[in-house]
Amino acid sequence: MEYFDTLIVILQSTVRVSVPLILAALAGLYSERSGIFDIGLEGKMLAAAFAGGAAAAVTGSALIGLAAAIFVSVCLALVHGFASITQRGNQIVSGVAINFIALGATVILGQAWFRQGGRTPQLTGDARFTTVELPFAAEVADVPILGPIYSNLLSGHFVLTYVAFLLVPFTWWVLYRTRFGLRLRAVGENPGAVDTAGISVPWLRYRAVICCGILCGIAGAYLSMAMTAGFVKGMTAGKGFIALAALIFAKWKPINVMFACLLFGFLDAMSIRMQGNPLPLIGEVPVQFMQALPYILTVILLAGFIGKAVPPRAGGVPYVKER
């Protein structure tokens, strides 16, 4: 049972660290399916985390913090949309600019407003999301095997955790069972045909980047108001780029995105668990190597195990309407 309990703890940690990856990867899915590449996921998540943490600290309300996180993230998404869709600029450059702006602005504003080295004040009480216990979790906790799975693995997570996992089938339904999803996929493959059918390509892509902003906002709010109790500078720590890697690894399919993010989350959870613990035949491994392990394995997986990943054909190419 000791090994089983350890496995439950690792899987619980996997779920916890996978949530921002799932949200950010789904955000990128909406954007890139419409033909707008977005490597600014990291920046939008970071800005949203700061906005949510700051608003929650000032108002004492987690819901106001969530709204502020989504608002800031959507604003940055619209900036990216304006540069990429309206001005037909380089989408990679726009995304990089958003990352740099968020990285610098969060530290400067955090220091100017709170004088805590770029951090926000510690969140307590209603200013932070709390965990949710599922019905009968305490009663079945002592049941062998199934009890720990239900009470420790399925129960006891934040509301945003359940929202993230519910968004996976919802995104699948939107993409493959709705008119909006059909048009979204079509505009990412052949925007000229969509335009010929009388559908506005720019407006469809703007709606896609707004969806991207909303999901990045939720991911940022989760980082600063659920996973931790406040904003810390650079707290995204490359999660936006790992989410982008998971999106490519999953070949732009929602269900595959969830499993890819869970895989990367498992690697991250294992690296945390193994820090300071000696490995068989190797001994104790430096902490720095264990911290870098998820990123190393991300590169290895992308380089050698996914085969050919074919992005949407119109991705990254500004659409110019034929006259």
Side-chain angles (χ1 to χ4, degrees):
M1 288 298 292
E2 180 182 352
Y3 291 105
F4 179 75
D5 292 339
T6 301
L7 178 62
I8 292 295
V9 171
I10 293 174
L11 292 178
Q12 187 181 42
S13 179
T14 297
V15 171
R16 186 174 65 252
V17 300
S18 296
V19 170
L21 299 180
I22 292 173
L23 290 168
L26 291 177
L29 179 65
Y30 279 100
S31 181
E32 297 197 8
R33 276 288 195 170
S34 73
I36 302 298
F37 283 170
D38 193 353
I39 64 170
L41 300 176
E42 177 86 1
K44 289 194 282 288
M45 285 174 63
L46 188 61
F50 173 76
V58 172
T59 64
S61 171
L63 292 179
I64 293 178
L66 176 62
I70 293 175
F71 175 76
V72 168
S73 181
V74 169
C75 287
L76 289 177
L78 289 174
V79 170
H80 180 59
F82 178 76
S84 304
I85 302 170
T86 303
Q87 298 299 320
R88 304 187 184 92
N90 187 294
Q91 298 171 14
I92 304 299
V93 173
S94 175
V96 171
I98 288 175
N99 289 336
F100 283 145
I101 290 171
L103 185 62
T106 52
V107 176
I108 293 172
L109 293 177
Q111 177 62 22
W113 291 349
F114 302 109
R115 304 293 179 182
Q116 296 185 15
R119 301 167 58 99
T120 59
Q122 193 83 356
L123 300 181
T124 57
D126 293 337
R128 185 186 179 189
F129 289 103
T130 56
T131 56
V132 176
E133 294 293 332
L134 296 181
F136 308 110
E139 287 78 1
V140 302
D142 295 330
V143 176
I145 307 299
L146 295 180
I149 292 176
Y150 181 76
S151 60
N152 296 330
L153 184 57
L154 300 180
S155 179
H157 295 288
F158 300 101
V159 174
L160 295 182
T161 301
Y162 300 109
V163 169
F165 282 94
L166 288 174
L167 281 171
V168 175
F170 176 76
T171 298
W172 179 89
W173 177 78
V174 168
L175 285 180
Y176 297 104
R177 293 293 184 269
T178 67
R179 182 181 300 177
F180 171 72
L182 174 63
R183 292 174 175 177
L184 187 72
R185 289 183 289 122
V187 80
E189 296 292 337
N190 192 342
V194 174
D195 193 22
T196 303
I199 302 169
S200 173
V201 172
W203 172 230
L204 192 57
R205 287 182 166 177
Y206 265 111
R207 281 186 285 173
V209 298
I210 289 172
C211 291
C212 176
I214 291 172
L215 292 175
C216 281
I218 299 174
Y222 175 86
L223 286 174
S224 62
M225 299 161 55
M227 194 171 177
T228 57
F231 175 81
V232 180
K233 61 180 180 179
M235 69 183 310
T236 48
K239 289 182 174 60
F241 299 112
I242 293 181
L244 191 60
L247 181 60
I248 299 171
F249 183 57
K251 299 184 179 179
W252 295 271
K253 296 179 180 179
I255 305 300
N256 294 353
V257 161
M258 180 187 70
F259 288 114
C261 291
L262 285 172
L263 173 61
F264 292 134
F266 178 76
L267 297 175
D268 197 3
M270 283 296 295
S271 70
I272 296 172
R273 182 73 180 180
M274 293 165 63
Q275 287 181 17
N277 295 324
L279 300 179
L281 304 178
I282 298 177
E284 188 169 341
V285 179
V287 174
Q288 293 80 0
F289 176 79
M290 299 307 302
Q291 291 174 339
L293 186 60
Y295 304 95
I296 296 172
L297 293 177
T298 298
V299 174
I300 294 173
L301 287 172
L302 286 176
F305 292 94
I306 65 171
K308 186 178 181 181
V310 181
R313 284 186 295 176
V317 181
Y319 175 66
V320 180
K321 185 174 183 179
E322 296 182 1
R323 300 185 182 277

